Amino acid sequence: MTAEHEASVQSYLYAFPLVFNLDQVARYVSEGIGANPAAPWNTFSHARTLAGPEDTFVTINNDTVYSMSQLDLSAGPVLLEVPETGGRYYVLQFVSAWTDNFAYIGHRATGSGPGRFLLVPADWEGTAPEGATVVRVPTRIASIVGRWAVSGPEDLPAVHALQDATTLTQLDPAQRPIGLPEVAAEETDAETFWAKFRAWSAAFPPAPRDRELLEGAEALSARVGDPGARAELVASVAEGFDTLTAVLASGGGNAMVNGWNITYHSFDYNLDYFEVGVVAEPRFMIADPARRIVQRAGAALGGLWGNQSFEAAYVATYVDAAGEPLSGEHDYELRLSPMPPVGAFWSLTMYDVPNSFLVANPAERYSIGDRTPGLVFEDDGALVITISAAEPSDPKRRANWLPAPAERFRPVLRMYEPDEAVLDGSYEIPAIARIDAA
């Protein structure tokens, strides 16, 4: 690989999160995704049911219902109001156009009481309404990713009432958001990617520390439309994407413990924007510039809009205790003793490979966790989860069954408000053991 070509691939890794993210932002505004209907800028789209296989969004959770909003502060400041939630777990996570998590509002960050927050452009100067906390938004367009814990179908009406009481109001209702810059389709998908990057990076500048990276990617994107550059533009996207998928499969440079990719710091690439609810400690900041860029791209592809570990810790695995790929051709079990230590709750969710979508199954069970009814524990208090494509015949295994697809799969363990034992690594998750005959 020539130095020029290597630089093109690196530029793709830098550009990927912005383009991938804003494609999803546009999708939410124009089409909606799964249970979340489309909603205009600066309004909420509320899912009224838990996510299922029809929700084709990477690594979507099955623990909470989502309340999503795509912000466009070209219309000026927006007032967010949240209700009293009575101790229920919820989080409103704020994500910039470049996928930096720059603010959190909710159970951990701001408590369960009612609150008012004024969302303003980064350079805003003015007076906030009485009682409102100012939240500066680093890019004109950003996302609110809201999650509400649901204990079961009977709990949904209470959650719906809380969703409806969570509102966004433009201070100047006459202003119309201008939205994303439109980008015409180019000759190839790769050239369209680079055309989007050129338009969107100009509209939503990154942090100043990324100026040199931005200039390199802009120079490449400026060659869109040049027939002599087409091969390089296409190759940068193809090889860059292959690099990302390989990074995800290998653990992305994270520690591997018992086959689990310890991704507690996968979303720690924000080094510049620290609004309400963010824990601005060095252990939640990726200092290595090269690793930060690759991590941000991999996190976007593998789990767009994921929380940082001080809010929710995620681990995933592709392999069993012997290091072999997990596949529905075999049966497995995961023995948890003790349970993951958390301040809120935990769950294990099944995803297919390579899409990272929820897996359809006759039992309509997509995750299992400490709120799953009917679990059967061992005499010593351990929980043994059966993971298989075929439904177990044994009643205990059936009660603790997490259905898998017939082919490759990737389980993700989520720990909401994890205890320090999770974050410091003293709590170890056991390997997933194959239990069928070799």
Side-chain angles (χ1 to χ4, degrees), residues 186-242:
E186 296 290 337
E187 191 73 18
T188 66
D189 290 344
E191 290 173 292
T192 300
F193 171 93
W194 284 113
K196 288 178 178 178
F197 175 77
R198 187 178 188 187
W200 292 346
S201 62
F204 315 112
R209 73 176 63 245
D210 287 345
R211 171 55 56 186
E212 185 176 343
L213 291 165
L214 176 66
E215 290 174 352
E218 283 181 333
L220 184 61
S221 65
R223 302 180 69 187
V224 170
D226 175 3
R230 180 165 297 148
E232 183 64 30
L233 292 168
V234 171
S236 68
V237 171
E239 294 182 27
F241 190 81
D242 286 345

Side-chain angles (χ1 to χ4, degrees), residues 168-338:
L168 290 165
T169 306
Q170 288 183 197
L171 292 193
D172 185 351
Q175 291 294 323
R176 295 180 61 85
I178 62 177
L180 284 169
E182 293 189 10
V183 179
E186 296 290 337
E187 191 73 18
T188 66
D189 290 344
E191 290 173 292
T192 300
F193 171 93
W194 284 113
K196 288 178 178 178
F197 175 77
R198 187 178 188 187
W200 292 346
S201 62
F204 315 112
R209 73 176 63 245
D210 287 345
R211 171 55 56 186
E212 185 176 343
L213 291 165
L214 176 66
E215 290 174 352
E218 283 181 333
L220 184 61
S221 65
R223 302 180 69 187
V224 170
D226 175 3
R230 180 165 297 148
E232 183 64 30
L233 292 168
V234 171
S236 68
V237 171
E239 294 182 27
F241 190 81
D242 286 345
T243 298
L244 278 185
T245 55
V247 164
L248 286 177
S250 67
N254 296 299
M256 300 290 288
V257 177
N258 297 328
W260 294 92
N261 183 9
I262 307 301
T263 52
Y264 300 156
H265 300 289
S266 291
F267 299 93
D268 291 347
Y269 36 78
N270 172 27
L271 305 182
D272 299 279
Y273 309 108
F274 308 114
E275 298 296 312
V276 62
V278 174
V279 180
E281 298 178 3
R283 62 175 174 159
F284 298 116
M285 301 177 191
I286 299 174
D288 180 352
R291 180 168 178 258
R292 183 175 67 91
I293 297 307
V294 174
Q295 193 69 58
R296 183 170 64 184
L301 178 61
L304 185 66
W305 300 341
N307 283 298
Q308 288 168 273
S309 59
F310 51 73
E311 183 68 41
Y314 311 118
V315 295
T317 183
Y318 290 84
V319 298
D320 63 17
E324 295 298 319
L326 294 168
S327 170
E329 297 175 328
H330 308 292
D331 297 344
Y332 306 88
E333 67 179 25
L334 173 64
R335 182 185 180 91
L336 294 175
S337 180

